[in-house]
Amino acid sequence: MNCPHAAAQAAARNGGTVVIDPMVQDLDGETTRLRDAGPLARIELLGVPAWALTRHADARQLLLDPRLVKDLDAWGLWQSGEVTHAWPLIGMIDAGRSMFTVDGDEHRRLRTKTSQALTPRRLEAIRPDIEKFTEELLDALAEGGRDGAVVDLKAVFAQPLPMRVVGMLMGVDPAENAMLTRQYKAFFSMLTPQDERLALLADLDVFYAGLVREKTAQPTDDLTSALILADEGGEPLTEEEVVGNLKAMVAAGHETTIGLILNAVRALLAHPDQLRMVLDGEVSWETVIEETLRWDTPTTHLLMRFATEDIQVGDGVIAKGEGVVISYRVIGRDPEQHGPDADAFDITRATPIRHMTFGHGPHICPGAALSRVEAGIALPALFGRFPELRLAMPDADIRKLPVMTQNDMEAFPVLLNA
Ligand code: STR
């Protein structure tokens, strides 16, 4: 099923199918092909057929439609055994019972405490911690880039910062951050053999279950402990549910924010006129962050929802039992929403940046405010300390990671001073 040859054959039979490239060699070309394939694009993910929503307006409507569900058992290809745990993307869907995988009233029950802990007001309390982590990592960056040495902004700054923040929030021992970073990199990479991916997911489950038992015995002031403690009157979460939420938070809370920070730096360095305007205070960092989220979203495709009945989208139909992905990159560049210059990075665009990168409806990203706070601290601090920051290689040579769902790069080598 996930043999590349079979995938190519299926694509040949099915003229209109966009075969998503696991190596991410031409993300912009693929984005255009998906847009041209229409509002409901036929795609193939490692041999598995699915639909992709490519228009802002349709996705906005369908993300509110209860006929689309997260429940894997609603997927025909899963029921029939055509998709199994041998499929390299199964871990993006079969991620344990959590706020990410459940809908309806049970979803509200699973999600409430997390979203309450991540409101802008609650996040003010951890702003000083994020500022401190940022300063420490900028010191490390200065050290690495001393005397004109090339230093990797990703490895030294953009990657460790979000992991420290989400680790602190969830009560993870900082000594585990390197292990978690390594495991998630391997989890997301399409170069990792599937048996290794399944084994590392099992190891992570053991790790998280241990953490939950530790916090059950000795609750501390973190979100994991809060998830364990029963509310007055509320039905407490089970250990499986706490583990599910914890892993969703750690996975989502670090991988996406790496992309946000790096993609913003990259966009600004590639558009020096716009960087100047930001450094001169003519355009805000908030605008940079929103335009980056729209134009170069950290999440390329969000897997997956399943139709419980036939659902009409434009001229097409998602048949009962079929799977649909939300293609946030294509949606962020939808000219019907963002105008004819949707493909351009432009922090001066006249229309307000009404993107939908955090999703919409009941599953809208509970960490949206957190990511904005992190990027809102990291970016001005970085450029404040190193206003002459520049890329140490041609922008065109930057390589994307071989990850089908996330938009992240291998490395981002920089020079700190002119
Ligand atoms: C990774 C594997 C895991 O153990 C748990 C989850 C659940 C949350 C998922 C995460 C996944 C992958 C990245 C996601 C995240 C929610 C938001 C994030 C999809 C499957 C995004 O990229 C938007």
Side-chain angles (χ1 to χ4, degrees):
M1 186 101 251
N2 49 54
C3 146
H5 182 62
Q9 275 181 343
R13 271 198 312 275
N14 209 333
T17 300
V18 179
V19 178
I20 306 299
D21 174 16
M23 293 300 113
V24 197
Q25 293 168 94
D26 178 20
L27 194 51
D28 284 337
E30 198 165 272
T31 301
T32 306
R33 282 193 292 283
L34 282 166
R35 179 197 293 157
D36 293 347
L40 185 63
R42 235 328 168 196
I43 62 167
E44 214 174 84
L45 298 161
L46 302 169
V48 171
W51 296 107
L53 291 176
T54 66
R55 299 295 190 271
H56 181 104
D58 294 328
R60 195 176 163 87
Q61 196 187 325
L62 284 162
L63 284 167
L64 296 173
D65 193 322
R67 296 173 300 171
L68 277 183
V69 299
K70 294 263 196 156
D71 181 7
L72 180 55
D73 291 331
W75 196 10
L77 294 175
W78 178 256
Q79 288 164 0
S80 68
E82 284 162 86
V83 169
T84 66
H85 283 111
W87 185 50
L89 289 165
I90 195 66
M92 293 297 299
I93 305 168
D94 189 23
R97 189 176 158 82
S98 78
M99 58 185 166
F100 183 69
T101 55
V102 169
D103 298 288
D105 289 340
E106 282 292 279
H107 172 248
R108 269 184 290 284
R109 175 181 153 264
L110 290 175
R111 171 178 160 115
T112 304
K113 271 196 190 170
T114 302
S115 50
Q116 284 169 352
L118 298 174
T119 59
R121 198 180 58 80
R122 291 280 295 275
L123 292 175
E124 279 312 306
I126 62 162
R127 184 179 282 278
D129 298 296
I130 303 177
E131 286 166 351
K132 178 173 139 278
F133 295 154
T134 301
E135 287 311 315
E136 286 170 7
L137 293 171
L138 287 176
D139 290 343
L141 191 67
E143 183 58 29
R146 212 176 37 179
D147 302 329
V150 173
V151 58
D152 181 6
L153 184 70
K154 176 173 180 181
V156 179
F157 182 73
Q159 180 168 275
L161 179 64
M163 187 58 97
R164 280 199 197 180
V165 174
V166 79
M168 174 189 71
L169 265 172
M170 303 313 292
V172 176
D173 179 351
E176 306 287 0
N177 287 355
M179 176 278 290
L180 290 168
T181 300
R182 183 168 34 82
Q183 294 283 53
Y184 282 110
K185 185 172 183 208
F187 166 75
F188 284 112
S189 173
M190 286 299 121
L191 295 175
T192 303
Q194 179 61 0
D195 54 342
E196 282 177 33
R197 186 174 0 259
L198 293 174
L200 78 83
L201 285 172
D203 288 348
L204 282 171
D205 275 339
V206 171
F207 168 75
Y208 287 124
L211 183 61
V212 170
R213 276 196 290 274
E214 200 182 293
K215 300 288 175 187
T216 306
Q218 226 165 21
T220 40
D221 182 23
D222 52 53
L223 181 49
T224 303
S225 302
L227 290 173
I228 294 166
L229 295 171
D231 272 334
E232 273 170 63
E235 183 69 23
L237 304 198
T238 65
E239 180 180 306
E240 186 199 354
E241 292 167 340
V242 176
V243 168
N245 278 350
L246 173 58
K247 60 189 191 185
M249 278 293 294
V250 174
H254 88 282
E255 168 51 37
T256 50
T257 314
I258 298 171
L260 173 56
I261 294 171
L262 284 178
N263 295 347
V265 174
R266 180 183 187 177
L268 290 173
L269 295 184
H271 299 87
D273 46 329
Q274 298 190 48
L275 174 57
R276 213 7 60 232
M277 297 175 79
V278 179
L279 296 182
D280 290 347
E282 289 165 41
V283 179
S284 69
W285 285 103
E286 286 69 48
T287 303
V288 171
I289 291 166
E290 299 311 309
E291 178 67 348
T292 302
L293 286 164
R294 176 193 75 78
W295 183 70
D296 205 11
T297 164
T299 303
T300 309
H301 306 287
L302 196 123
L303 273 50
M304 198 183 281
R305 286 174 169 80
F306 310 104
T308 56
E309 334 174 352
D310 291 2
I311 300 173
Q312 183 94 29
V313 182
D315 298 336
V317 175
I318 309 167
K320 177 178 176 183
E322 289 184 329
V324 60
V325 316
I326 319 288
S327 294
Y328 283 107
R329 185 179 183 86
V330 193
I331 286 169
R333 294 172 178 220
D334 179 0
E336 287 158 37
Q337 173 72 8
H338 302 290
D341 65 344
D343 280 329
F345 177 80
D346 180 6
I347 56 176
T348 68
R349 58 179 58 249
T351 50
I353 309 161
R354 271 185 269 101
H355 66 75
M356 204 171 50
T357 288
F358 291 114
H360 186 61
H363 286 277
I364 191 168
C365 177
L370 175 60
S371 75
R372 287 172 166 133
V373 170
E374 285 182 46
I377 291 171
L379 292 169
L382 173 67
F383 282 98
R385 184 114 158 226
F386 306 109
E388 326 232 85
L389 183 80
R390 63 207 162 91
L391 198 47
M393 68 197 262
D395 181 87
D397 292 348
I398 292 178
R399 289 191 22 229
K400 293 287 184 190
L401 283 175
V403 176
M404 293 175 88
T405 54
Q406 319 300 123
N407 174 19
D408 192 354
M409 33 187 132
E410 209 85 58
F412 195 80
V414 293
L415 294 162
L416 301 178
N417 302 301

